[in-house]
Amino acid sequence: MSELHSDDQPSSHPNDRAVIRLRPKSKPQAIRHGFPWVFADEAVLDRRTKALPPGGLAVLEDAERQPLGLVTVNPVSKIIARVMDTDPNAVIDGAWLRARLTRALQMRERIYDEPFYRLVHAEADGLPGLVIDRFGDAAVIQPNAAWADGMAEEIADALIDVAGVTTVVLNGQGRSRSLEGLTERLEVIRGTTPDAPVQVRMNGATYLADLMGGQKTGLFFDQRPNHAFTQRLVGGGSVLDVFSHVGGFGLAALAAGAESALCVDGSAPALELARGGAAAMGASDRLQTQQSDAFDALEALAEQGRTFDVVVCDPPAFAPSKPALEKGLRAYERIAKMAAPLVAPGGYLVLCSCSHAADLTALRNVSARGIGRGGRRGVLIHTGQAGPDHPTLPQLAETGYLKALFFRLD
């Protein structure tokens, strides 16, 4: 068990805690104003702190030894400390977890009529490095920080107490974990293994989420408001959904009365789930799927002279980090160039990015350039972002990662 939850271990008592101190040139104001991280080159570690296991606790102090809060430390990560609580005397136990989860749940229950949403969005919900998506009576947790991985059992129990879920899946996969020195793991830690995909209702559409074998947690809740805005553009027309995953935009369009939707994705299992969602909606006759590389599909559709009233491109993160930014922006421009000719005159092109490193201005610029290189002109009518179950921490730009640009093309 992690030492974070146990009151009777020495490291849980404030007076016995290790200390991590900011270097004199570091700015404590950022932490005091809500920035949640300390990078390795900003800190001085004492002997006891260096000896902490990843996920151990320490008191964060400024250069003048004034306490700034309680942090969890991971000496193997570039983010050496994550702020857990502004109270340096806080005890991180089941009661603390339940309080944070209750606060997160109250907001989601006020906004959403049904229990399908991101319940915890890491730092923005005061649970650094922890993501929890809820699928009715089941929840999938992604512990992407060492403290959360070590406290997974306690998190699951608190989740059951607060939200009333009966199944908790731990999905410990992805790049974020490797940066924390964590190994991959996928297991059901409470309840029974789901024997079928979960039906999720959003915007009048039905999606199938594979909680054990799908991407990330099984479904992308973040695009919900952008699905809804796309529904307003459909007008009974035809829709092309590229990088569709389980049919995110395509099924939303069918629910809004689209005449047809073509979903293109490289994953056969994802497209099978899209077809299952369409069947659950009674819309199988209006859905077509194509397993293909997205760029190959765009090229082939252009050669066939196909056009659609709405074209959506929602690719994976082409620029997941700053070193990948230049290459990623070229890929976003190429997508825009290839997709633009497929939009019928007066139709709409939706271009999305989930890249942390590509900011809105850069994405808007390369998208407009790509549309122009594709021989089209248009106006930007709407800019979307993730839904309110993915709150943005103003001090941390990374929490506002999702951008969706809606263009009307001549």
Side-chain angles (χ1 to χ4, degrees), residues 9 160 256 305 326 376 395:
Q9 294 189 21
I160 290 169
E326 186 176 343
R376 302 297 294 273
Q395 299 86 352

Side-chain angles (χ1 to χ4, degrees), residues 117 128 197 269 306:
Y117 40 69
R306 297 282 300 275

Side-chain angles (χ1 to χ4, degrees), residues 39 46 82 186 208 213 298 304 310 322 337:
F39 294 99
D46 66 8
R82 299 172 185 264
L186 175 64
L208 298 187
L298 291 171
Q304 297 165 18
V310 179
K322 287 184 179 179
K337 176 187 175 183

Side-chain angles (χ1 to χ4, degrees), residues 213-300:
Q215 293 183 38
K216 300 291 187 179
T217 62
L219 196 67
F220 296 105
F221 286 124
D222 52 2
Q223 287 283 22
R224 184 183 341 223
N226 300 317
H227 292 163
F229 192 85
T230 301
Q231 289 179 314
R232 301 168 68 178
L233 307 177
V234 169
S238 58
V239 175
L240 172 63
D241 182 4
V242 186
F243 305 99
S244 68
H245 189 227
V246 298
F249 284 90
L251 295 183
L254 294 178
E259 177 186 31
S260 65
L262 171 58
C263 288
V264 177
D265 198 89
S267 168
L271 292 176
E272 181 64 29
L273 292 169
R275 290 189 290 271
M281 294 164 53
S284 294
D285 58 330
R286 292 183 287 139
L287 176 70
Q288 291 181 301
T289 61
Q290 179 180 334
Q291 184 186 357
S292 172
D293 172 81
F295 292 98
D296 291 344
L298 291 171
E299 184 176 12

